[in-house]
Every structure is written in structure tokens, then in C-alpha cells.
Amino acid sequence: GDSVTQMEGPVTLSEEAFLTINCTYTATGYPSLFWYVQYPGEGLQLLLKATKADDKGSNKGFEATYRKETTSFHLEKGSVQVSDSAVYFCAPPYSGGYQKVTFGTGTKLQVIP
Amino acid sequence: SQTIHQWPATLVQPVGSPLSLECTVEGTSNPNLYWYRQAAGRGLQLLFYSVGIGQISSEVPQNLSASRPQDRQFILSSKKLLLSDSGFYLCAWNSGRTDTQYFGPGTRLTVL
């Protein structure tokens, strides 16, 4: 089955800094990855989905790029804002039956003004 | 459009008391339903999932149970809460036709 290793946090950045969060997984199938975001006190919501080698998913200024040589997806944003402070989870497609998703451990991002 | 509701939003319960958390989904039929727990500063732990009415699969042994009495209703229960049951409980659904999960707003449970 697939295993997921996500970059540990917390990550603290100043506003307008560059963000990169790594997620590595050993895919038994076609490589694709979801990134979810959890704002304080809320549930998770889908941020973006990246599929295929060199095919970036993008949303709200975030991009995810797949690196075939390291089987890793990098979530990036060129200029973070305070409102981006949240926990970011990566998740490959289904692992196991019945669409069970294995989430990464989450990376907490704190953006300071 | 589809929506997912959870209640209560917050709950404070004494050790040994019972628990009932409810999750309902609107705007879809025959969803796959999931209960997750997120302990403070930790990742997501899948507790239960259900692919249909009355069908429950447990992922981890614990003193919690789940039921699905109706197609779009998922309930998480306990007869006697433990301190370690404290956490943020998230319900999620999936259509079974795509691999995106949609999460509810969560219930913050504190066991004292």
C-alpha cells in the first residue's frame, strides 16, 4: 500500500515569504496527490489536486509540483499572507478499500506580519 | 449543492459519561461516510467508515462505536468516555465516484 511522509512543522514565516512544504509517498499506482488545508477551528477543505509528473495543481496562489525522482510533491506559494496560517495535509488517492484516504501528519504554518 | 453538518460544535463531558455525535449530509445519496479524530497537535486518525446503511468498519480498537441508521446520517457514540477521547472529531463524506473527501466543521470534545 501507499505510505505518506509529510514535512514536520511548525513552519513560521514572515508575510510575503516563500513557502514550500514537502510530502513524499511511495505510490503503488499512478502518482497524484491532494493537498487539504485546515484553518483554525475548522474542518479540512480541499486546496488542490496535483496529477501526473510535471503537471502542477494550483489554487489560491498555491501550486503543487510532482518530482518523479524523489516521488514527492511540493506545495509552494510565492508570497504567503497571514490568512494562510493553517495546517496543511497531503493525501494520496485511496489506500485500501472503500476510498480510505491516508493523510499525512499535517504541517502547521504560521505567518507573522 | 452538497453540505455536511456536525453537531454539537463543542462539547464538554465528564469521564464515564456517554457520548453521541451526529453527522448528516445533504444533497447526495449513498455517500461513503467517515469519522476521524484529531488529537491536539496531531494528525488525522480514521476511526470508522461506512459504505452504506448499517455497514460500519472500524479502523482502530477503542471504546467508541459508530452507527449509520439512515443513508446520510452517521453517529459516533460511546457508553463511557475516557480522558483520552478528548479531541477534534471530523466527519467526512465521499461520493465514491471521485477521490475527494468533504469534511464537516468538526466537534471539539473535551473530557474532564
Side-chain angles (χ1 to χ4, degrees):
Chain A
D2 296 350
S3 63
V4 182
T5 303
Q6 187 171 347
M7 171 182 171
E8 288 194 22
V11 175
T12 302
L13 295 173
S14 297
E15 205 165 20
E16 298 184 1
F18 180 81
L19 168 71
T20 183
I21 299 175
N22 302 333
C23 179
T24 304
Y25 81 101
T26 305
T28 56
Y30 199 73
S32 62
L33 195 81
F34 294 92
W35 284 97
Y36 288 81
V37 58
Q38 183 182 30
Y39 297 105
E42 299 182 10
L44 279 71
Q45 55 184 280
L46 181 66
L47 178 61
L48 55 84
K49 178 179 179 180
T51 57
K52 301 182 183 179
D54 303 322
D55 185 2
K56 297 183 178 183
S58 63
N59 183 27
K60 298 181 180 179
F62 289 88
E63 284 188 335
T65 306
Y66 177 64
R67 308 292 187 196
K68 185 177 180 180
E69 61 276 12
T70 57
T71 64
S72 63
F73 283 82
H74 299 250
L75 179 68
E76 298 178 336
K77 187 172 185 179
S79 177
V80 293
Q81 305 300 313
V82 173
S83 57
D84 293 326
S85 298
V87 182
Y88 293 83
F89 293 89
C90 62
Y94 310 130
S95 58
Y98 303 116
Q99 293 88 35
K100 289 194 298 180
V101 176
T102 301
F103 287 90
T105 53
T107 302
K108 184 176 182 178
L109 169 66
Q110 183 178 11
V111 180
I112 55 178
Chain B
S1 64
Q2 300 90 2
T3 55
I4 178 169
H5 304 279
Q6 283 186 248
W7 65 88
T10 60
L11 190 60
V12 180
Q13 291 285 91
V15 170
S17 64
L19 173 73
S20 180
L21 304 182
E22 189 165 344
C23 170
T24 58
V25 181
E26 297 177 354
T28 188
S29 60
N30 196 31
N32 295 326
L33 296 172
Y34 307 83
W35 278 112
Y36 293 88
R37 177 170 58 200
Q38 188 177 28
R42 305 282 297 275
L44 290 172
Q45 179 185 34
L46 178 63
L47 302 175
F48 301 95
Y49 66 92
S50 171
V51 299
I53 296 174
Q55 300 180 60
I56 308 295
S57 296
S58 174
E59 285 294 292
V60 293
Q62 57 210 323
N63 69 320
L64 300 172
S65 62
S67 61
R68 185 171 177 173
Q70 301 181 47
D71 181 45
R72 290 168 291 175
Q73 184 184 32
F74 205 23
I75 297 173
L76 183 69
S77 304
S78 175
K79 293 182 179 179
K80 290 185 178 181
L81 284 168
L82 306 173
L83 286 174
S84 58
D85 291 325
S86 293
F88 193 49
Y89 288 82
L90 289 163
C91 180
W93 73 274
N94 167 278
S95 69
R97 294 183 294 278
T98 70
D99 44 6
T100 301
Q101 291 208 336
Y102 300 93
F103 286 81
T107 295
R108 175 77 58 191
L109 172 65
T110 303
V111 182
L112 301 175

